[in-house]
Amino acid sequence: QVQLVESGGGLVQAGGSLRLSCAASGRTFYTMGWFRQAPGKEREFVGAVSWAGGYIYYADSVKGRFTISRDNAKNTRYLQMNSLKPEDTAVYYCALARLIGTKTSDYDYWGQGTQVTVSS
């Protein structure tokens, strides 16, 4: 069965950095996306990468600060977050999709999420 496990969340001060990991198992999908959801807000798109690494797309809110990378040997994708802001505080999820997309409905499988808290 398909399983996604996020890790790397935690508490960091504004301006700091954090790296999230998403390990996937079960089968291959076209894209792996990162989403986040803050309290009282809808889940929003952060970025996505094709499993082979040929496509990477970021939301404007994180572009230039966040970077998606991969380790194919470990079947793992990473979200490197730099210059973190308090508004980045959210539960971060990784997800898998058959096709490239930026909407939650585009994705078929979701991890449990990892909390990222950025203090002022």
Side-chain angles (χ1 to χ4, degrees):
Q1 294 184 348
V2 175
Q3 184 176 13
L4 297 174
V5 180
E6 302 101 333
S7 62
L11 176 65
V12 64
Q13 290 184 289
S17 299
L18 206 60
R19 189 180 76 162
L20 306 183
S21 299
C22 177
S25 63
R27 64 185 299 167
T28 301
F29 284 77
Y30 181 68
T31 60
M32 192 222 70
W34 286 99
F35 290 78
R36 66 186 183 185
Q37 187 168 23
K41 298 184 66 177
E42 296 293 317
R43 191 169 298 183
E44 66 176 353
F45 175 78
V46 174
V49 60
S50 61
W51 204 249
Y55 169 89
I56 302 177
Y57 181 76
Y58 301 99
D60 289 340
S61 60
V62 305
K63 195 172 185 178
R65 299 188 298 120
F66 291 10
T67 303
I68 299 173
S69 60
R70 66 184 187 276
D71 185 339
N72 289 336
K74 297 180 179 179
N75 208 28
T76 300
R77 299 295 181 267
Y78 305 95
L79 181 66
Q80 178 67 46
M81 304 183 293
N82 299 324
S83 301
L84 284 163
K85 306 173 182 179
E87 50 263 44
D88 294 319
T89 296
V91 176
Y92 283 71
Y93 300 88
C94 63
L96 299 177
R98 296 288 186 181
L99 302 172
I100 193 68
T102 59
K103 300 177 180 179
T104 58
S105 59
D106 294 326
Y107 289 78
D108 302 300
Y109 297 95
W110 296 82
Q112 292 298 308
T114 184
Q115 177 70 49
V116 172
T117 302
V118 184
S119 62
S120 300

